Amino acid sequence: MEKSNNSKMGGTMIDLGYSEEESLLDNVSSSSSTALNVQELLSQSETRRQLKTQPVYLKYFWKILLIVSAFYSLPSIQFVVFQITDPEIKCYYNYKCLRPFLGIPSFNNVLSNIFYLIAGTSFILITHFTSHKEDGIHGLHTDLSLYYSLGLTIIFEGIFSALYHVCPSRLNFQFDTTYMLIGSGLLFFTLHQKRHATLTAGAFKAYGFFSLFIFFNFLSLTNINIYAFWVIFVIVFGYVSIIGSSYLLAHKRMDLNPSIGFLWRTLKKLIHPSTIEDKPRVFALLIANVLSWAIVIAFAVYGMMGSISKNFSNLIFNNNNNNNNNNNNNNNNNNNNNNNNNNNNNNNNNNNNNTYFYNLGVMVLDFLIYLFYYIAMKIKYGERVYLFVWVLFAIMFLSWGFGLYYFEVAVTNKFYTFDESLLLNRPCIIFDYWDTHDLWHFLSAIGLFSIMAIVYFVDWDLRTVPRSLIHVF
């Protein structure tokens, strides 16, 4: 779909992609003997052409996600089985609320992930049974593939989070985070394709983009130098910001140099706001970029300052050890040196271990800004937002608010030493079976379901509106 020059209340509308004269001639030539009036001819032609030009590539999203997840699960299961059977690997359990069953020490933490499976399955069933058959004339183009993908991400989040909790540690932390990142990205894609179906990236590009953030999440769990890590991350994040912003503003894909030129010309227009054609979109993107870069810079400065501080502390510690070397034997000196090396490795890991949180934070922040922009534009153009959508918003904020509160009440920390993590252990708080982290699983499952339901139902008012009259924003 491209933007049309037709306007209503000052906005652009979805173009059907052909001229009325052309469609009329096509139908007349194919059915000249049929006694149809002009309106019937136009209606048939519109339906035929619109359905013919629907973006087919969107239908691969959930299928590719299933294939990727199948291959991802096999080595993950193998690794977890290896972990739990190796006595040298320490699992970071909450030993004050440990409920073993079927050979799994923390079965309660595994079982609480069933709420993700319930939420994801419920969302898929709701979208399947409430979707309406498209006639190519009314409502927005609705490709259920993306919505099925959203439901699957919740289900797989539950499956892989359960795998992680079989033996939680820094080694398999990736299992617990992958599908949160994928789901956050898919939310943005799904909302954007509602009015830009032919401009949305295909499944291969989308999942390739998500894998980039998952790679940085993995990289942060290694012993990579913190300065090298942040240099690489800032370069890649800058590239993604430039390309993504120009794409959303210009409604077309551009290479790096044209994107920089286009964004520079747009920024210069901020001096004279009256010259900006699409002010809401420009200012929404400006806010998203400013806040996203603020998060990245804040975490980068925090991580590097922490590294400098710890290196300085280690330097003082080493000097003190050197002063005492005359009174110590060679064996003790070797042990001290080994301990110092281990401390340095732990420091590097601790400085980088927040990557998942700011990656996910940036993606969620950008999606929420786009969602609020989308709602504001609907209101601007006189479109309705049903009451039950606002109820879903209330449920979303409440569930995420309480969920994050209980998430911050840590009962373990896989980035601490094992003994330090034990000090965080807390007793069960629900039915003497589930702890605060289990409560996070329950509340975040509700939050994920509600936010995905908002994306699905937000345009429920447009089902009977002629597609040619729906605004593009």
Short mmCIF file of all heavy atoms in Angstrom, two decimals, residues 87 150 211 341 360:
data_model
loop_
_atom_site.label_atom_id
_atom_site.label_comp_id
_atom_site.label_asym_id
_atom_site.label_seq_id
_atom_site.Cartn_x
_atom_site.Cartn_y
_atom_site.Cartn_z
N PRO A 87 28.18 -32.38 38.54
CA PRO A 87 28.26 -31.90 39.93
C PRO A 87 29.13 -30.65 40.11
O PRO A 87 29.04 -29.98 41.14
CB PRO A 87 28.85 -33.10 40.68
CG PRO A 87 29.59 -33.88 39.63
CD PRO A 87 28.83 -33.68 38.36
N LEU A 150 3.27 -13.48 17.62
CA LEU A 150 3.27 -12.86 18.95
C LEU A 150 2.87 -13.88 20.01
O LEU A 150 3.49 -13.98 21.08
CB LEU A 150 2.33 -11.66 18.98
CG LEU A 150 2.76 -10.42 18.20
CD1 LEU A 150 1.66 -9.35 18.24
CD2 LEU A 150 4.05 -9.85 18.77
N SER A 211 18.32 -10.99 15.84
CA SER A 211 19.49 -11.78 16.22
C SER A 211 20.68 -10.89 16.55
O SER A 211 21.56 -11.29 17.32
CB SER A 211 19.87 -12.74 15.08
OG SER A 211 20.36 -12.03 13.95
N ASN A 341 43.29 -12.41 39.17
CA ASN A 341 42.85 -12.62 37.79
C ASN A 341 41.38 -13.00 37.74
O ASN A 341 40.62 -12.54 36.89
CB ASN A 341 43.69 -13.73 37.13
CG ASN A 341 45.12 -13.28 36.88
OD1 ASN A 341 45.36 -12.08 36.70
ND2 ASN A 341 46.06 -14.22 36.87
N LEU A 360 16.48 -4.67 25.92
CA LEU A 360 15.03 -4.84 26.03
C LEU A 360 14.36 -3.52 26.38
O LEU A 360 13.28 -3.19 25.85
CB LEU A 360 14.71 -5.88 27.10
CG LEU A 360 13.24 -6.24 27.30
CD1 LEU A 360 12.66 -6.83 26.02
CD2 LEU A 360 13.07 -7.22 28.46
#
